[in-house]
């Protein structure tokens, strides 16, 4: 008998129990986090891959990924905003009641009576709208660094789907309070869904193929917004769409790993400033030699797992990546809370089906579309947005050049092309708007003109047509599809910003033109 | 030997037959499920205003009347030619138009119609529809907002 066994026998049952009780905290903690405290490279690696929540990230991260000037943290901010939106949304569901009779009252209750209700609603609203801004910025970052290339094509598509979902979630969200904005937005949205009739009517096939009315009835549960419409919108907003966006966000993150991590410039070399946010591994030998990461996995083909590539520029995710992520989370949360503390989310009067507001404006992020809508319901509401999304989906498949992936604007020529597209689109788009405001459009000159001509030829469709033709011209001139895509994307961003600003600030009653809101007539 | 070989190539084997029929059955069932899904979402009960409604006796609408019935979303006019009803729902995106100097104007996207409801400017794709007016046995005028009549159709009742 050795000493240990003697001890086991001599100790009473009770003393074993009290010993277990004393070490309870350590044993429970140790059973949850089995790798121990992360004070060695091995433990730092296990801290990531043994953790359910962290293991979607690699145990090592490339220094380029950690550079704030490369990612700007935009995708991460979008994700944290999603988390904030979901959390605050659950709180709002406690008091919100999706019925035509009570919806407006319950929102007023949340604003004025419920403890912390107003700031919770503000957080929900502003984090949701923030997602639109940051998802768009993130898309711009991914585009300009060429990160939709070299195996990441499908993840770009998933990203565009996420962008659409963010828009639809925001849209369904502002329909819920059942105020004037909700009601008339529901009217307008359902009419946009019905707008394919504009085309089918012109072609005379509405009797056989009325896809417009069909989709309107699907959405509204009838032809006018009512109690069942609100029920459906609520179902989509709190259940169906959040589930879908969670799945796609999961795929989006998973694909980053599967596609070989984030892009980086071909000629990467660490700089002195990198040491500010990247702590190098403690050892570069033993089980973590510089020339490989996994043993057998080196035999695997393809991009995953990421093996033997640029190993000398990889640092451990714990703590380098996690600290950066934590910092972004804290900044995001702080910004949202402070903004929401001071700025209140709007609420209008109770929905009145008899009197639309004048002007009846959508929230700012849809006003660019509303400007296009004011030329043609079908083109502005369905045709051009579909074409734009289709174009965004196809960008990675139509531009397959692999030159200088991971470099902002590709090269010097790319910067010039982007700047050129910026200047041309700004000048021309403002020119078209000025023309349409001053001289009107086809029907002002030819009152008898058929609707089909206006549906097809209006300032919106002409502008989008110009963007496409210009990009093809750039491709021909430079011999590079990447440069064509660059022009296309810059012009898309410029159009979104200018149209949104124009419709927000310069459209007044009866959708007339005014230099500012102070000039609006009494109406 | 040769003929047997040919037969094997032309006649479907039992395995292929079963697999193909199973696949086709699944396809048909799939379409059935999709159709059922959309049919489920098509609401059978509508909590909506009836589209046929009484608006009162003809003598309430003397010649020269131009009245907007807000809750019915319709304008009712009476002139020498008779009674007629024009929808006040803009054909662009469904806002409520209001009467202006020489016709109707929509506040949302600035569509303009003349006094007969014909589009004269703006994005509206169609003219404002005219609705059928009939007279009930009790003498009331009845507007049927589900039944469009050609523009310019005026009816006389007394």
């Amino acid at each position: 008998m050795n000493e240990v066994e003697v001890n086991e026998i001599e100790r009473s049952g009770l003393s074993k129990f009290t010993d277990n009780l004393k070490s309870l905290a350590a044993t429970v903690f140790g059973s949850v986090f089995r790798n121990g405290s992360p004070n060695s490279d091995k433990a730092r690696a296990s801290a990531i891959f043994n953790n359910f929540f962290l293991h979607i990230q690699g145990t090592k991260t490339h220094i380029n990924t950690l550079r704030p000037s490369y990612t700007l943290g935009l995708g991460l901010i979008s994700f944290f905003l999603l988390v904030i939106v979901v959390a605050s949304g659950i709180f709002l569901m406690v008091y919100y009641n999706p019925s035509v009779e009570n919806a407006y009252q319950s929102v007023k209750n949340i604003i004025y009576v419920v403890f912390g209700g107003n700031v919770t609603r503000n957080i929900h609203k502003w984090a949701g709208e923030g997602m639109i801004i940051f998802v768009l910025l993130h898309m711009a970052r991914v585009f300009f660094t060429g990160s939709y290339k070299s195996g990441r094509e499908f993840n770009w598509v998933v990203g565009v789907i996420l962008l659409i979902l963010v828009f639809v979630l925001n849209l369904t969200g502002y329909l819920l309070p059942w105020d004037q904005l909700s009601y008339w937005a529901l009217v307008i949205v359902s009419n946009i869904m019905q707008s394919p009739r504009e085309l089918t009517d012109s072609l005379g096939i509405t009797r056989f193929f009325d896809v417009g009315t069909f989709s309107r009835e699907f959405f509204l549960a009838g032809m006018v917004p009512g109690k069942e419409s609100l029920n459906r919108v609520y179902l989509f907003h709190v259940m169906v769409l959040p589930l879908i966006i969670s799945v796609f966000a999961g795929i989006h993150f998973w694909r980053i790993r599967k596609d070989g991590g984030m892009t980086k410039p071909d000629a990467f070399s660490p700089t002195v400033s990198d040491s500010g946010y990247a702590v190098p591994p403690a050892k570069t030998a033993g089980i973590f030699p510089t020339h490989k990461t996994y043993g057998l996995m080196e035999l695997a083909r393809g991009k995953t797992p990421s093996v033997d590539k640029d190993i000398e520029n990889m640092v451990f995710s714990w703590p380098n990546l996690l600290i950066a992520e934590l910092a972004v989370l804290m900044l995001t949360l702080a910004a949202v809370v402070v903004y929401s503390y001071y700025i209140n989310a709007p609420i209008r009067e109770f929905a009145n089906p008899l009197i639309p507001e004048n002007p009846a404006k959508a929230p700012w992020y849809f006003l660019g579309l509303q400007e296009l809508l004011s030329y043609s319901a079908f083109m502005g509401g369905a045709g051009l947005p579909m074409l734009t999304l289709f174009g965004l989906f196809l960008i990675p498949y139509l531009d397959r050049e692999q030159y200088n992936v991971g470099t902002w604007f590709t090269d010097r020529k790319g910067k010039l092309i982007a700047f050129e597209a910026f200047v041309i689109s700004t000048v021309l788009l403002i020119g078209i708007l000025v023309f349409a405001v001053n001289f009107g459009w086809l029907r002002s000159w030819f009152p008898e003109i058929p609707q089909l001509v206006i549906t097809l030829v209006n300032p919106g469709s002409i502008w989008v047509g110009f963007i496409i033709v210009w990009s093809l011209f750039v491709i021909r001139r430079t011999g590079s599809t990447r440069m064509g895509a660059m022009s296309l994307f810059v012009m898309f961003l410029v159009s979104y910003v200018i149209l949104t600003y124009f419709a927000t600030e310069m459209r007044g009653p009866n959708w007339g033109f005014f230099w500012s809101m102070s000039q609006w007539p009494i109406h | 030997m040769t003929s047997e070989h040919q037969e094997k190539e032309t006649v479907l084997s039992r395995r292929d037959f079963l697999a193909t029929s199973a696949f086709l059955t699944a396809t048909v069932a799939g379409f059935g499920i999709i159709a059922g899904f959309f049919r489920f979402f098509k609401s059978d009960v509508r909590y909506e205003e009836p589209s046929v409604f009484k608006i009162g006796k003809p003598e309430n609408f003397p010649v020269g009347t131009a009245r907007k019935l807000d809750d019915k979303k319709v304008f009712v006019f009476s002139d020498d030619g008779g009674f007629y009803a024009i929808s006040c729902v803009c054909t662009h995106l469904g806002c409520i138009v209001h009467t202006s100097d020489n016709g109707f104007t929509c506040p949302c996207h600035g569509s303009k119609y003349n006094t007969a409801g014909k589009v004269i400017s703006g994005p509206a794709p169609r003219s404002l529809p005219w609705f059928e007016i009939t007279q009930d046995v009790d003498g009331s005028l009845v507007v049927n907002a589900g039944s469009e009549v050609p523009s310019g159709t005026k009816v006389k009742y007394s």
Side-chain angles (χ1 to χ4, degrees):
Chain A
M1 273 192 192
N2 62 39
E3 208 177 334
V4 179
E5 282 169 331
V6 174
N7 275 344
E8 283 291 314
I9 293 166
E10 285 179 354
R11 285 168 58 202
S12 69
L14 263 185
S15 77
K16 274 194 283 184
F17 175 74
T18 48
D19 283 352
N20 287 351
L21 209 54
K22 281 179 200 160
S23 56
L24 190 62
T27 47
V28 170
F29 187 84
S31 73
V32 179
F33 303 100
R34 282 182 289 205
N35 38 276
S37 53
N39 44 22
S40 69
D41 282 349
K42 182 173 175 292
R44 280 191 276 272
S46 354
I48 299 285
F49 72 72
N50 280 341
N51 186 298
F52 175 78
F53 298 101
L54 300 181
H55 85 282
I56 197 153
Q57 306 172 115
T59 53
K60 279 184 163 186
T61 304
H62 197 274
I63 291 175
N64 187 61
T65 304
L66 292 170
R67 278 187 181 165
S69 62
Y70 187 72
T71 65
L72 307 173
L74 296 168
L76 206 53
I77 293 175
S78 309
F79 170 65
F80 288 141
L81 286 174
L82 176 65
V83 174
I84 295 171
V85 161
V86 170
S88 55
I90 291 172
F91 280 102
L92 292 178
M93 282 173 72
V94 174
Y95 284 102
Y96 175 75
N97 181 327
S99 68
V100 171
E101 295 81 14
N102 297 337
Y104 188 73
Q105 320 296 348
S106 64
V107 173
K108 287 266 167 164
N109 177 23
I110 289 170
I111 296 174
Y112 294 109
V113 186
V114 172
F115 168 77
N118 188 33
V119 82
T120 310
R121 176 170 176 267
N122 293 347
I123 287 173
H124 192 67
K125 172 85 177 176
W126 301 135
E129 290 198 355
M131 280 179 76
I132 288 179
I133 297 175
F134 282 97
V135 168
L136 276 172
L137 288 175
H138 170 64
M139 183 165 81
R141 191 286 288 176
V142 168
F143 180 86
F144 289 125
T145 55
S147 300
Y148 56 91
K149 293 163 179 283
S150 67
R152 296 169 181 81
E153 292 82 7
F154 181 67
N155 217 10
W156 167 271
V157 173
V158 175
V160 178
I161 293 173
L162 285 170
L163 175 71
I164 299 170
L165 286 168
V166 167
F167 271 110
V168 179
L169 272 159
N170 270 280
L171 167 71
T172 49
Y174 75 71
L175 300 178
L176 294 180
W178 210 248
D179 60 353
Q180 275 287 66
L181 180 65
S182 309
Y183 184 85
W184 289 101
L186 202 49
V187 171
I188 289 177
V189 168
S190 60
N191 275 289
I192 291 172
M193 298 181 83
Q194 203 184 12
S195 68
R197 259 195 82 165
E198 189 179 315
L199 197 66
T200 52
D201 272 355
S202 303
L203 300 173
I205 55 170
T206 306
R207 271 192 304 143
F208 318 106
F209 182 68
D210 195 358
V211 63
T213 308
F214 175 81
S215 49
R216 180 192 179 121
E217 286 189 322
F218 180 83
F219 185 57
L220 286 187
M223 291 305 283
V224 292
K227 51 174 84 175
E228 295 214 343
S229 325
L230 183 58
N231 238 9
R232 278 184 194 193
V233 171
Y234 182 69
L235 171 72
F236 284 127
H237 184 75
V238 304
M239 184 80 203
V240 179
L241 293 168
L243 276 177
I244 296 175
I245 203 172
S246 308
V247 170
F248 276 99
I251 296 173
H252 200 57
F253 301 151
W254 181 74
R255 286 293 295 230
I256 299 175
R257 283 294 303 286
K258 292 290 159 185
D259 296 344
M262 285 187 201
T263 49
K264 43 201 163 285
D266 297 331
F268 177 85
S269 60
T271 61
V272 181
S273 60
D274 285 334
S275 58
Y277 43 80
V279 183
K283 283 193 286 187
T284 48
I287 61 164
F288 292 113
T290 51
H291 62 276
K292 67 177 179 186
T293 47
Y294 308 86
L296 268 180
M297 293 300 187
E298 275 192 271
L299 299 172
R301 291 177 61 192
K303 285 172 187 266
T304 54
S306 174
V307 178
D308 217 5
K309 289 189 200 88
D310 220 5
I311 298 302
E312 62 279 8
N313 293 322
M314 302 284 265
V315 291
F316 276 101
S317 301
W318 181 298
N320 299 301
L321 179 62
L322 292 183
I323 283 181
E325 287 175 345
L326 195 61
V328 173
L329 171 62
M330 287 167 68
L331 283 175
T332 309
L333 195 56
V336 170
V337 170
V338 170
Y339 192 81
S340 302
Y341 185 80
Y342 289 105
I343 316 281
N344 280 331
I347 177 113
R348 314 277 178 92
E349 308 93 89
F350 184 65
N352 183 351
L354 307 181
I355 306 167
E357 293 189 310
N358 189 2
K361 287 195 178 185
W364 62 267
Y365 41 88
F366 281 129
L367 281 182
L369 275 185
Q370 198 172 347
E371 178 65 23
L372 298 180
L373 276 178
S374 73
Y375 307 130
S376 154
F378 172 73
M379 268 301 162
L384 298 179
M386 293 281 207
L387 191 66
T388 307
L389 291 173
F390 197 60
L392 286 175
F393 278 127
L394 285 183
I395 277 183
Y397 300 99
L398 296 183
D399 163 33
R400 298 164 63 86
E401 291 171 6
Q402 302 297 319
Y403 165 66
N404 256 4
V405 170
T407 307
W408 278 90
F409 298 101
T410 306
D411 55 13
R412 208 183 120 69
K413 193 170 76 181
K415 281 181 194 164
L416 282 174
I417 292 286
F419 182 69
E420 178 193 71
F422 173 77
V423 173
I424 288 177
S425 56
T426 307
V427 172
L428 279 186
L429 181 55
I430 292 177
I432 286 184
L433 291 174
V434 168
F435 180 86
V437 165
N438 268 331
F439 303 107
W441 200 249
L442 289 170
R443 190 173 270 137
S444 321
W445 315 320
F446 316 104
E448 296 301 324
I449 199 161
Q451 177 60 30
L452 190 60
V453 177
I454 296 186
T455 303
L456 295 177
V457 182
N458 61 62
S461 55
I462 287 181
W463 173 242
V464 173
F466 169 78
I467 293 181
I468 295 169
V469 171
W470 176 260
S471 307
L472 292 175
F473 168 70
V474 169
I475 292 178
R476 222 190 89 175
R477 199 183 59 186
T478 59
S480 157
T481 51
R482 166 74 173 156
M483 294 303 135
M486 188 88 83
S487 301
L488 191 75
F489 193 78
V490 169
M491 288 184 162
F492 158 71
L493 286 182
V494 168
S495 311
Y496 186 81
V497 173
I498 289 186
L499 287 174
T500 302
Y501 177 80
F502 182 77
T504 308
E505 293 295 327
M506 298 181 176
R507 287 298 191 179
N510 300 338
W511 209 246
F513 174 82
F514 298 92
W515 282 109
S516 80
M517 211 177 278
S518 56
Q519 294 181 337
W520 288 10
I522 306 292
H523 58 276
Chain B
M1 195 65 192
T2 326
S3 65
E4 200 185 311
H5 185 71
Q6 272 178 346
E7 206 170 73
K8 262 191 176 172
E9 278 194 345
T10 48
V11 176
L12 201 60
S13 74
R14 178 179 304 183
R15 176 188 301 240
D16 284 351
F17 171 74
L18 288 176
T20 311
S21 31
F23 180 74
L24 288 177
T25 313
T27 311
V28 171
F31 279 116
I33 289 168
I34 292 170
F37 171 80
F38 283 108
R39 181 62 188 85
F40 180 85
F41 270 81
K42 188 171 157 59
S43 173
D44 291 307
V45 174
R46 301 275 169 92
Y47 302 88
E48 293 174 4
E49 295 277 321
S51 60
V52 183
F53 46 87
K54 291 182 182 179
I55 56 172
K57 296 270 166 70
E59 51 264 35
N60 295 340
F61 300 90
V63 170
T65 304
R67 194 177 299 165
K68 185 182 186 185
L69 302 179
D70 278 326
D71 52 337
K72 306 296 185 192
K73 301 188 174 173
V74 69
F75 292 104
V76 177
F77 299 93
S78 169
D79 63 16
D80 294 332
F83 304 104
Y84 57 104
I86 300 180
S87 162
C88 60
V89 179
C90 181
T91 56
H92 180 226
L93 292 175
C95 293
I96 305 292
V97 301
H98 54 80
T99 45
S100 55
D101 298 341
N102 43 12
F104 311 98
T105 303
C106 179
C108 291
H109 303 96
S111 290
K112 289 189 172 60
Y113 305 85
N114 68 12
T115 46
K118 189 180 180 319
V119 189
I120 47 178
S121 74
R126 277 169 288 128
S127 299
L128 294 173
W130 288 44
F131 294 137
E132 185 187 30
I133 296 186
T134 51
Q135 193 172 29
D136 204 358
V137 283
D138 65 357
S140 298
L141 296 177
V142 179
V143 175
N144 183 354
S147 166
E148 277 187 40
V149 291
S151 171
T153 310
K154 300 176 183 178
V155 287
K156 284 192 171 170
Y157 293 108
S158 53

